[in-house]
Amino acid sequence: MNYLGLALACVLPTVALADPDPSDWTSVLDEARGQTVYWNAWGGSTATNDFIAWVGDRVAEDYGVTLEHVKLSDTADAVTRVLTEKQAGQDDDGAIDMIWINGSNFAAMKDAGLLFGPFAESLPNWAYVDTDGKTVQTDFTVPVEGYESPWAMAQVVFMYDTADMAPLGDMNALLDWAVTHPGRFTYPQPPDFLGTTFLKQALVDLTDDTSVLSQPATDETYAEVTEPLWLWLDELTPNLWRQGQAYPQTGPAQLQLIADGEVDLAISFSPGEASTAIANGQLPDTVRTFVLDKGTIGNASFVAIPYNSGSKAGAMVVADFLMSPEAQARAQDPNVLGYGTVLDMAKLSDDERTVFDGLDLGVATLTPAELGTVQAEPHPSWMTRIADDWQLRFGNQ
């Protein structure tokens, strides 16, 4: 277990506060007015930062809530901040009011009682959420139970330049291509979330029976199941960009390598990212996307509220607005973000559906049918161990 996980395990669970009551929405709106919400969220994308700024403008206009984007490079930094406040006895008016979170960070905070809730399924716009077709009630196999609210859907795709290569069917085909075209592929350096996502996608694709990945990793299952991954990475690494001696630090840095003609292939967790980047002039219009034959990992992006937030009402207002048809349609627009929606179109009004139907998702965005099978995220324990082992094996070369 890493240091953060060990420290969180030592914290006694805290009973979630019931006030403000998310089911009394009128009172929530009254209390939220005038509050400032410090949203700790990844700050590595200009498009995402601009979207969050727009959300801030809208919630200020409609609800009198001030939204401050605290830009993170690693979500674990926010988790550590809440943990530190808990250990110091700062149980009210903490520094963080909302976190863009999922996976192991959510599981750790939920287990340690560091989250406010349950609140998500009491928000008004939850009524529009697709709870049948989308994974919005589990997070990396962990039941959400209302302690985080979904706001975007993601699925792994690979962006490639059609001027230089064709789609690849699986990770072994990717390895063969990389060996034949050395230096033309890379991935962000773990613990960047996109870098760890690449490792997870490789593990899922190389594992014959993925049901074991839905359970917590044990020493025995971890060693057996990950052995093919390490053998595969041993072959892949010397054929990466700069012989695997250096890696781009973020997803946007990957895009720049394609734009500069240094690589031909990159991973993304947003099916619309390539179309957005083409529309913004960040990528050439010859770039397209593909998924693997067995399908690719998909999940939801969530927001959660720390137990000691002093602006819980304001944070719930922001979380609710993020699920609104207005915000969801804007996020799905490839000229803005190109994110998948968490909403069920059948639950919307005719006018609301018309907005979504009118979106041009872009030349590089696959249709839902083309995206194929959505593979489940492994249990968080797999990724924590794999990220640590990757650092030991490859991170210090």
Side-chain angles (χ1 to χ4, degrees), residues 81-338:
R81 179 65 181 267
V82 178
L83 171 63
T84 301
E85 291 176 345
K86 170 64 177 176
Q87 293 172 330
Q90 187 176 347
D91 295 328
D92 298 297
D93 201 21
I96 299 172
D97 298 305
M98 194 168 76
I99 307 174
W100 177 358
I101 196 170
N102 63 10
S104 58
N105 289 309
F106 168 69
M109 292 192 76
K110 182 171 182 275
D111 287 346
L114 297 179
L115 296 175
F116 167 75
F119 73 92
E121 297 187 18
S122 296
L123 301 179
N125 284 319
W126 178 264
Y128 301 121
V129 173
D130 184 354
T131 56
D132 293 325
K134 295 174 181 175
T135 53
V136 293
Q137 292 176 303
T138 59
D139 186 350
F140 287 47
T141 76
V142 176
V144 171
E145 298 178 317
Y147 282 88
E148 58 181 355
S149 175
W151 71 283
M153 296 303 301
Q155 185 176 342
V156 168
V157 297
F158 290 88
M159 301 178 287
Y160 72 107
D161 194 331
T162 58
D164 300 302
M165 65 178 295
L168 304 169
D170 56 34
M171 284 298 189
N172 284 318
L174 188 153
L175 172 60
D176 291 342
W177 177 85
V179 170
T180 307
H181 302 84
R184 303 302 298 175
F185 172 63
T186 188
Y187 55 92
Q189 182 169 351
D192 175 83
F193 80 94
L194 199 53
T196 57
T197 295
F198 175 73
L199 300 180
K200 284 187 293 186
Q201 182 60 69
L203 177 67
V204 168
D205 201 65
L206 294 168
T207 301
D208 291 332
D209 181 6
T210 58
S211 63
V212 67
L213 300 177
S214 67
Q215 302 299 318
T218 65
D219 289 345
E220 181 180 356
T221 59
Y222 179 81
E224 179 182 351
V225 173
T226 61
E227 182 179 7
L229 173 67
W230 303 125
L231 293 173
W232 184 83
L233 284 168
D234 284 339
E235 291 189 63
L236 176 69
T237 301
N239 293 288
L240 294 174
W241 175 73
R242 296 190 177 177
Q243 298 80 49
Q245 300 296 312
Y247 294 83
Q249 296 302 298
T250 64
Q254 265 191 134
L255 297 190
Q256 190 60 51
L257 291 178
I258 292 184
D260 292 342
E262 293 196 50
V263 301
D264 303 316
L265 177 65
I267 187 172
S268 173
F269 217 157
S270 172
E273 182 175 11
S275 292
T276 300
I278 291 169
N280 294 339
Q282 295 174 284
L283 287 180
D285 60 10
T286 51
V287 169
R288 296 293 184 270
T289 56
F290 68 84
V291 293
L292 305 179
D293 292 344
K294 284 171 54 176
T296 52
I297 291 172
N299 67 25
S301 287
F302 294 90
V303 292
I305 303 170
Y307 83 100
N308 63 343
S309 164
S311 299
K312 296 183 181 73
M316 284 192 285
V317 166
V318 176
D320 185 63
F321 179 76
L322 287 169
M323 292 191 296
S324 68
E326 177 189 357
Q328 289 288 298
R330 185 175 181 87
Q332 192 169 32
D333 186 342
N335 293 302
V336 179
L337 283 182

